Amino acid sequence: MDLNTVVEIRDARRPAPWRPGDAWLGGGTYLFSEPQPHLRRLVDLSRMGWTPVRRHPDGSLELAATCTIAELSCYARDLIAPAAPLFEQCCRAFLASFKIWNMATVGGNLCNGLPAGPMISLTAALDGECLLIAQDGTLRRVRVADFVIGAGRKDLAAGELLRSVTLPARALACRTAFRQTSLYGLGRSAVLVIGTLDPVDHSVAITVTAATVRPIRLWFPLAPTAAALREAIDGAVADGEWFDDIHGLPEWRRHMTFRLAEEIRRELVEEEWR
């Protein structure tokens, strides 16, 4: 879609004061998908030259905000880590064409803050941490689970840039379990639940996305019972936080969250007992 209110595209490599009507441009798959009448200038990040995925000496994985879904999927195929399958599962949760895969970015998916954003699901489940850069160069870090605070709402100040998301080595060493459902065979995620089992201390984390307006990550020092898991989810998600749109009613999303979370709990517990 043409953005007929945009009068300038600026190269992000050439700093300039941020002003009302500015927006960061990554892949543009959201920006150009619908009218954006408030925009006047796009600040293009495509030439920043950031390495899409970088493995640090401590074993952590840093995903550049400009890393495309195609680049992440390709990297994950050769990733040697117990959590590696989760990357492809979340990439496939896009249910998008190859054109979207080659343009949509990890950072764009997070900064849209949509409940069904599968990069939010992936990075929240693996305890990811966002690196944010303010206009004055100030850096701050915030966990992905705290970065998205509602449907389309982020902890992001005007002009602040999401530079990257870092996934800790310990999270990559976890066993994972993935469940997703939709009202349609090839529909948008209505419920997406991910479980992780830490091989060091045997703790379990359950992350709920798509069904809720923000990612909900629950941590248990040991595998919870079915009743404890259900109670924890019920306590963590307020009544108004179950998402409501044409892809599923809140009551159905809540029911399916309990069902899929229990399937994950059993899968991880059975794997632990082997």
Side-chain angles (χ1 to χ4, degrees), residues 55-111:
R55 194 75 182 260
H56 291 295
D58 64 359
S60 63
L61 205 62
E62 184 178 11
L63 313 180
T66 51
C67 175
T68 66
I69 306 309
E71 288 170 332
L72 181 61
S73 173
C74 183
Y75 181 90
R77 290 170 198 161
D78 297 322
L79 177 62
I80 301 175
L86 185 62
F87 287 78
E88 187 68 11
Q89 288 170 324
C90 289
C91 286
R92 293 290 169 187
F94 264 104
L95 300 174
S97 71
F98 73 92
K99 292 182 287 186
I100 298 296
W101 267 49
N102 281 279
M103 292 302 296
T105 62
V106 172
N109 197 244
L110 267 72
C111 289

Side-chain angles (χ1 to χ4, degrees), residues 1-211:
M1 173 176 289
D2 292 335
L3 301 181
N4 57 15
T5 61
V6 172
V7 296
E8 182 185 353
I9 297 180
R10 181 172 67 80
D11 190 330
R13 296 174 299 177
R14 301 186 180 91
W18 192 265
R19 62 195 190 195
D22 282 358
W24 298 109
L25 172 62
T29 55
Y30 168 73
L31 280 180
F32 290 96
S33 69
E34 59 182 51
Q36 310 284 348
H38 62 290
L39 296 185
R40 299 295 179 269
R41 182 172 66 169
L42 301 180
V43 185
D44 186 8
L45 297 168
S46 64
R47 298 176 184 174
M48 295 299 288
W50 296 333
T51 301
V53 186
R54 186 191 302 274
R55 194 75 182 260
H56 291 295
D58 64 359
S60 63
L61 205 62
E62 184 178 11
L63 313 180
T66 51
C67 175
T68 66
I69 306 309
E71 288 170 332
L72 181 61
S73 173
C74 183
Y75 181 90
R77 290 170 198 161
D78 297 322
L79 177 62
I80 301 175
L86 185 62
F87 287 78
E88 187 68 11
Q89 288 170 324
C90 289
C91 286
R92 293 290 169 187
F94 264 104
L95 300 174
S97 71
F98 73 92
K99 292 182 287 186
I100 298 296
W101 267 49
N102 281 279
M103 292 302 296
T105 62
V106 172
N109 197 244
L110 267 72
C111 289
N112 278 343
L114 301 179
M119 294 297 100
I120 298 173
S121 308
L122 171 68
T123 53
L126 294 181
D127 202 20
E129 184 179 66
C130 300
L131 173 61
L132 306 173
I133 307 177
Q135 283 293 296
D136 63 2
T138 302
L139 303 179
R140 71 182 179 105
R141 297 181 183 273
V142 59
R143 294 174 64 238
V144 173
D146 301 320
F147 176 69
V148 179
I149 56 179
R153 298 170 53 224
K154 297 81 58 181
D155 178 12
L156 199 62
E160 199 168 26
L161 170 66
L162 171 61
R163 168 62 180 84
S164 63
V165 180
T166 299
L167 309 176
R170 187 158 177 174
L172 296 173
C174 290
R175 301 187 185 97
T176 64
F178 173 95
R179 295 291 190 281
Q180 174 201 25
T181 193
S182 170
L183 285 176
Y184 319 101
L186 293 176
R188 177 182 296 178
S189 298
V191 183
L192 201 159
V193 185
I194 297 171
T196 61
L197 174 64
D198 192 316
V200 177
D201 62 6
H202 308 288
S203 61
V204 170
I206 301 292
T207 303
V208 178
T209 53

